[in-house]
Amino acid sequence: MTEMTDYNTYAQFKALVSARYSCRSYSPEPLDRGMVTAVLEMAQKAPSACNRQPWRFLVVDDAASRAKICGAYSREWIQTAPAYIIACGVHSEAWHRAYDGKDHTDVDLAIAVEHICLAAASLGLGTCWVCNFDAAAITRDFNLPEGIEPIAIIPIGRPSADSHRPEKVRKPLDDIVKWGSF
């Protein structure tokens, strides 16, 4: 691989990451299940500690189930999404660090969810991480088995014509990166 090819790949990835934003306004157009499957294939390929893959994904795209999502998260904008992915963790399947027992379910699932968000962006779809929801309601309303924890809801769909991509404001790299020691 040449240096130019490496740079082109980096530039494409940088453009994708820069284009991805938290979409909060969706077109009502239903999503083709093949597109959702393609996005979920990228989650399947996500790395996880010791390759444990402690995750399950529930796709919600029918009207009755969509209403249950809206009941667990009361912000009005979420109603515009034609589909949702409920990202669930399975703590019993996760790797736990031997030194202190740290459970890596949330870490592993976060990687998989970001794969979902980036894959969706690459297909021109919008997504948003939603973590401030009634997890007990999701567990109850979707009959999640014991040991399956809903960790995030990802609305997914085509951004509406009036969807606003905000400017990304980030801390300077020097504020978040230290070399050698703090």
Side-chain angles (χ1 to χ4, degrees):
M1 192 179 294
T2 67
E3 186 175 317
M4 183 54 109
T5 302
D6 291 343
Y7 179 75
N8 287 338
T9 301
Y10 172 78
Q12 290 170 347
F13 183 68
K14 183 178 180 181
L16 176 62
V17 169
S18 298
R20 190 247 165 247
Y21 69 102
S22 294
C23 180
R24 291 185 176 90
S25 180
Y26 297 88
S27 162
E29 179 183 353
L31 280 184
D32 176 83
R33 286 190 170 189
M35 287 186 83
V36 177
T37 299
V39 167
L40 289 167
E41 285 175 345
M42 295 303 103
Q44 178 191 32
K45 295 183 182 323
S48 62
C50 296
N51 197 30
R52 297 285 181 89
Q53 304 166 57
W55 48 58
R56 301 291 186 279
F57 302 97
L58 178 61
V59 180
V60 173
D61 62 358
D62 65 275
S65 296
R66 289 175 67 247
K68 292 176 184 178
I69 294 285
C70 297
Y73 180 75
S74 61
R75 301 278 305 272
E76 199 168 301
W77 68 265
I78 201 165
Q79 298 172 23
T80 66
Y84 309 95
I85 299 168
I86 303 172
C88 300
V90 187
H91 296 278
S92 65
E93 293 180 6
W95 177 75
H96 294 79
R97 186 168 46 208
Y99 296 100
D100 60 3
K102 175 164 178 52
D103 178 341
H104 276 254
T105 302
D106 289 359
V107 173
D108 292 342
L109 192 60
I111 297 167
V113 169
E114 191 56 16
H115 274 51
I116 287 170
C117 293
L118 290 173
S122 77
L123 294 171
L125 301 174
T127 58
C128 184
W129 285 69
V130 175
C131 296
N132 184 22
F133 60 90
D134 184 344
I138 294 294
T139 298
R140 179 191 66 242
D141 292 346
F142 291 96
N143 299 311
L144 298 184
E146 189 171 331
I148 305 290
E149 178 192 6
I151 294 177
I153 299 171
I154 305 111
I156 184 169
R158 288 178 178 74
S160 68
D162 64 348
S163 181
H164 172 68
R165 180 179 300 160
E167 178 185 350
K168 289 194 178 192
V169 178
R170 298 295 186 259
K171 293 178 181 179
L173 207 52
D174 287 343
D175 288 357
I176 63 169
V177 176
K178 304 297 178 205
W179 295 83
S181 68
F182 276 90

